Amino acid sequence: MISSDKLKKMYLEFFQKNGHKIIANASLVPENDPTALFISAGMHPLVPYLLGQPHPSGTKLVNVQKCLRTSDVDEVGDSFHLSFFEMLGNWSLGDYFKAESIPWSYEFLTSNEWLGIDKDRLSVTVFAGDEDASRDEESAGIWKSLGMPEERIYYLPKEDNWWGPAGATGPCGPDTEIFYDTGIEPCGAECKPGCSCGKYNEIWNNVFMEYNKTSDGRYELLEQKNVDTGMGVERTISVMQGKKNVYETEIFVPLIEKIKELAEVEEIPDEQEKSIRVVMDHTRAATFLLADGVVPRNIEQGYVLRRIIRGAIRHGRRMGIEREFLTELSLAVIGIYEADNPHLRKKEAFILNELRKESKKFNNTLIKGLRRFNRIADKKKEIDAKDAFLLYQSFGFPIEITVEIGKENNIPVDVPGFEEEMKKHQKVSSASADRKFGSGLADSQKETVKLHTATHILNEALRVILSKDIVQRGSNITHERLRFDFNFDRKMTEEEKRAVEDVVNQKIKQAIPVTQIETSLEEAKKIATQAVFGDRYGEKVTVYSIGDFSSELCSGPHVENTSELGHFRIVKERSISAGVRRIRAVLE
Ligand code: SER
């Protein structure tokens, strides 16, 4: 029976053998992409390259990518939903296309040298065509030539066989999806791949990225035709192992054992099945998020982490675990994943410390909050906006948790009212922050690219004017403004701000070419003055230079010449935490 470790190893080996280079497993927090909170697919960190920028490792890539999807976090606990999961992917950046991609997938799945899946168990779907793009007869033809019987090739519309997050701009295209027949009886005459009854489980998705969706909703053909495939590790092995759900695979065994020990039970009672699954899922997600530097906060990524940790604590309580337990469980997660993710062990002390702090905070208020919830529910049979806000403000209940408790008890919760209440209190609405960032691909608009180059100049200008010890602590760019965090222990004076602006505007006036070189990490460390190096061992990296003024390790994209930037202005400079300042600036 194939294990998850074996699947990952074989996948990388197969595509390496076929000329692919292994690329790093990127951080769960996207670099230079303000449109999404988390990496939610293996292709996500590759967007600039899918749009044509050369990738330092070439045109055929493969990896195992950690992903986090929070859009359906409330469904975690049913058979196949996980918020955190690993995705296997192989990519062609303007290299091979359908005629190589489909046969490779079929060979990997069915050859006895590789997964050896019974061919009769597989069926596929292809894009049926519409006014935006034509019917994918080419993929269907390739499947037929490989021996896939015609009756197991299904043509489905855009909502099933097209990839590119809804509403977002960026690279997208028709896909062909491969399904594994679990062997159970069809749910009816209409049952086919795409049906949710559990007979057909999707195991692989090959996207043929031929289009770029523009911000006015058009699909323009990309100059570079790409392939983007994705295979969910947990889902695929659970299907192949004949399990009914992802939690029955070997990945979760050490966690289940640990939870039984913590809850002091021999078996998990049926009514606690959902709770144990949520605890396992959320602990994995929290461990990996903390390892990537996210800390519990009330906004953005930190809010999602907080809600995940608090959700896990509440479900732990439901299982009778009253003491702090996340640190022990997180250690088990680190143990499972450390071989391929050495950064987990390196960050162990930090991860456990944050979990301990957050558990302490929430444990202090959880029981009282639950009591308050019950009192209100008994009396009013609903949680109105003010109640939900009180539970948030005084007892630390993220709105999603209040809603979940409401569902369990058939008590409606006024979520829109809660968000209004949040706004009134001048807080950033965590829920809407999450939604705003919920989907979307890298924002590659021209303005964003300009601001990205301006950020590099600003970074260096701060070192010239303030201190050579300035380092970047964070950066977030939209098409309207840049935001740059750096270490500095006091407010900048007006003169200093003007001086920094002057340096940046001078570099813009000098019309300096922006150049890029690809090199090893070791070389890059010698050349680049600035970089957030992360865990990219043994990989080729890109260094962007602005004349001899600035050199940064960075994945781009950037403008070609600083003269394209216009006029730089600092809008605001303020403190965001002890010793860290934030500049907001625009190009005009
Ligand atoms: N991007 C596609 C997916 O997430 C294939 O990798 O399914």
Side-chain angles (χ1 to χ4, degrees):
M1 197 153 54
I2 190 158
S3 68
S4 79
D5 282 340
K6 184 89 197 283
L7 174 66
K8 287 187 260 186
K9 229 175 119 237
M10 284 175 94
Y11 188 93
L12 295 176
E13 197 185 314
F14 178 83
F15 283 100
Q16 252 188 317
K17 192 181 91 86
N18 286 300
H20 292 63
K21 290 275 181 321
I22 299 181
I23 56 167
N25 189 343
S27 165
L28 281 171
V29 180
E31 280 176 47
N32 298 320
D33 179 3
T35 64
L37 281 182
F38 301 109
I39 294 296
S40 62
M43 54 74 72
H44 193 163
L46 293 171
V47 170
Y49 310 104
L50 293 163
L51 287 171
Q53 199 189 309
H55 191 286
S57 293
T59 53
K60 293 196 194 91
L61 310 174
V62 61
N63 85 346
V64 181
Q65 176 62 49
K66 49 187 187 281
C67 298
L68 190 76
R69 290 189 183 173
T70 55
S71 52
D72 45 12
V73 78
D74 301 333
E75 284 164 55
V76 165
D78 68 9
S79 303
F80 290 101
H81 273 100
L82 289 167
S83 64
F84 172 86
F85 62 97
E86 289 187 299
M87 191 186 265
L88 299 167
N90 61 281
W91 293 275
S92 156
L93 302 173
D95 192 302
Y96 60 87
F97 206 47
K98 298 175 186 177
E100 291 87 357
S101 173
I102 296 175
W104 272 334
S105 292
Y106 197 57
E107 182 189 347
F108 180 67
L109 292 173
T110 60
S111 153
N112 284 333
E113 210 185 314
W114 303 98
L115 298 188
I117 295 178
D118 178 359
K119 292 177 178 165
D120 293 339
R121 286 221 181 228
L122 298 180
S123 48
V124 299
T125 59
V126 296
F127 180 53
D130 62 14
E131 64 278 6
D132 297 322
S134 54
R135 188 173 173 89
D136 194 0
E137 294 294 2
E138 190 185 351
S139 293
I142 296 167
W143 281 118
K144 276 182 224 160
S145 74
L146 291 170
M148 181 66 68
E150 218 153 316
E151 66 275 12
R152 292 215 305 270
I153 303 173
Y154 298 82
Y155 291 83
L156 296 181
K158 205 179 243 136
E159 64 239 43
D160 300 290
N161 273 75
W162 187 271
W163 207 88
T169 57
C172 57
D175 63 37
T176 180
E177 298 179 14
I178 306 172
F179 288 79
Y180 183 90
D181 182 349
T182 55
I184 63 171
E185 285 303 312
C187 63
E190 290 296 296
C191 187
K192 61 180 180 195
C195 172
S196 61
C197 75
K199 179 171 177 61
Y200 298 102
N201 277 311
E202 182 199 332
I203 51 175
W204 206 345
N205 180 13
N206 294 24
V207 185
F208 304 116
M209 290 191 158
E210 308 176 61
Y211 298 92
N212 181 33
K213 187 173 178 194
T214 59
S215 47
D216 55 2
R218 281 177 304 110
Y219 291 88
E220 55 185 28
L221 273 175
L222 282 173
E223 263 170 52
Q224 167 184 311
K225 286 190 197 308
N226 309 295
V227 177
D228 153 38
T229 89
M231 180 193 275
V233 171
E234 293 84 347
R235 179 186 284 240
T236 301
I237 59 157
S238 65
V239 169
M240 289 184 59
Q241 292 177 3
K243 307 286 189 199
K244 285 191 290 300
N245 66 69
V246 287
Y247 300 96
E248 286 178 12
T249 59
E250 84 287 347
I251 309 172
F252 291 92
V253 170
L255 299 180
I256 293 173
E257 291 310 315
K258 190 82 216 168
I259 294 173
K260 282 192 201 159
E261 189 189 312
L262 290 160
E264 298 175 17
V265 294
E266 295 286 324
E267 285 307 318
I268 301 294
D270 284 352
E271 71 276 11
Q272 290 184 1
E273 199 57 49
K274 169 156 179 164
S275 287
I276 186 171
R277 292 176 179 181
V278 170
V279 169
M280 292 193 284
D281 171 83
H282 287 19
T283 310
R284 288 188 343 144
T287 302
F288 275 88
L289 281 171
L290 286 160
D292 279 341
V294 179
V295 288
R297 293 204 303 153
N298 282 339
I299 55 164
E300 297 171 355
Q301 283 95 349
Y303 174 77
V304 176
L305 174 60
R306 172 158 278 167
R307 155 186 162 198
I308 283 173
I309 294 176
R310 294 186 175 196
I313 294 172
R314 189 182 77 86
H315 279 282
R317 279 265 176 181
R318 296 189 78 200
M319 303 183 69
I321 313 174
E322 299 203 347
R323 64 188 171 89
E324 188 285 306
F325 65 95
L326 285 177
T327 48
E328 282 176 61
L329 217 48
S330 177
L331 272 172
V333 172
I334 296 173
I336 298 170
Y337 285 99
E338 68 176 323
D340 291 333
N341 297 272
H343 72 299
L344 294 177
R345 189 63 78 188
K346 274 192 247 150
K347 296 281 182 62
E348 177 186 316
F350 171 78
I351 296 169
L352 302 188
N353 189 36
E354 288 296 328
L355 287 173
R356 213 173 280 122
K357 277 196 312 204
E358 188 66 11
S359 295
K360 188 154 179 246
K361 261 190 212 149
F362 193 48
N363 266 328
N364 285 341
T365 59
L366 174 60
I367 295 296
K368 284 191 212 117
L370 287 172
R371 254 189 243 128
R372 178 67 70 103
F373 182 101
N374 290 333
R375 263 215 311 276
I376 304 168
D378 279 347
K379 220 166 57 205
K380 300 208 277 196
K381 307 286 175 230
E382 64 158 354
I383 301 290
D384 67 21
K386 287 222 157 51
D387 302 326
F389 187 72
L390 174 93
L391 287 167
Y392 171 80
Q393 180 85 327
S394 307
F395 301 98
F397 281 35
I399 184 67
E400 294 81 359
I401 291 187
T402 303
V403 169
E404 195 187 43
I405 304 172
K407 273 197 197 137
E408 288 160 10
N409 296 285
N410 269 328
I411 300 291
V413 178
D414 179 3
V415 179
F418 167 81
E419 285 181 6
E420 277 303 306
E421 204 63 27
M422 287 288 280
K423 269 193 219 129
K424 266 194 238 155
H425 287 77
Q426 302 271 304
K427 294 259 165 33
V428 176
S429 163
S430 35
S432 61
D434 186 17
R435 221 171 293 133
K436 188 168 97 213
F437 286 96
S439 67
L441 298 171
D443 185 350
S444 61
Q445 294 173 33
K446 192 73 195 162
E447 293 312 310
T448 314
V449 175
K450 286 185 193 168
L451 283 158
H452 189 184
T453 306
T455 301
H456 281 215
I457 308 180
L458 168 66
N459 189 347
E460 200 55 48
L462 289 168
R463 264 185 302 282
V464 174
I465 302 297
L466 297 181
S467 148
K468 62 176 182 5
D469 299 325
I470 299 273
V471 286
Q472 170 171 339
R473 284 299 188 75
S475 159
N476 175 296
I477 303 167
T478 71
H479 63 283
E480 289 169 322
R481 52 103 183 121
L482 67 82
R483 215 174 69 186
F484 187 80
D485 303 339
F486 58 103
N487 58 317
F488 197 54
D489 53 14
R490 63 166 171 79
K491 193 168 178 52
M492 286 171 72
T493 64
E494 285 306 313
E495 292 71 43
E496 284 166 341
K497 282 193 255 177
R498 292 298 87 76
V500 168
E501 286 175 343
D502 287 347
V503 172
V504 177
N505 285 318
Q506 189 194 9
K507 295 296 155 195
I508 294 175
K509 265 211 202 83
Q510 287 170 359
I512 307 170
V514 181
T515 54
Q516 119 191 43
I517 57 159
E518 275 135 36
T519 178
S520 67
L521 184 62
E522 287 60 42
E523 274 310 303
K525 280 186 177 166
K526 283 183 219 152
I527 318 165
T529 48
Q530 289 304 308
V532 184
F533 286 102
D535 278 322
R536 319 182 199 209
Y537 307 105
E539 223 199 307
K540 283 248 159 128
V541 295
T542 310
V543 176
Y544 274 92
S545 299
I546 302 172
D548 56 8
F549 181 66
S550 140
S551 275
E552 286 194 36
L553 189 143
C554 168
S555 56
H558 284 279
V559 300
E560 281 173 14
N561 191 294
T562 59
S563 61
E564 295 167 46
L565 301 187
H567 183 262
F568 174 85
R569 181 167 66 86
I570 295 177
V571 179
K572 201 166 168 188
E573 187 269 346
R574 67 180 179 95
S575 158
I576 52 162
S577 64
V580 183
R581 313 289 305 177
R582 171 169 291 174
I583 281 180
R584 193 180 268 270
V586 293
L587 289 170
E588 306 168 311

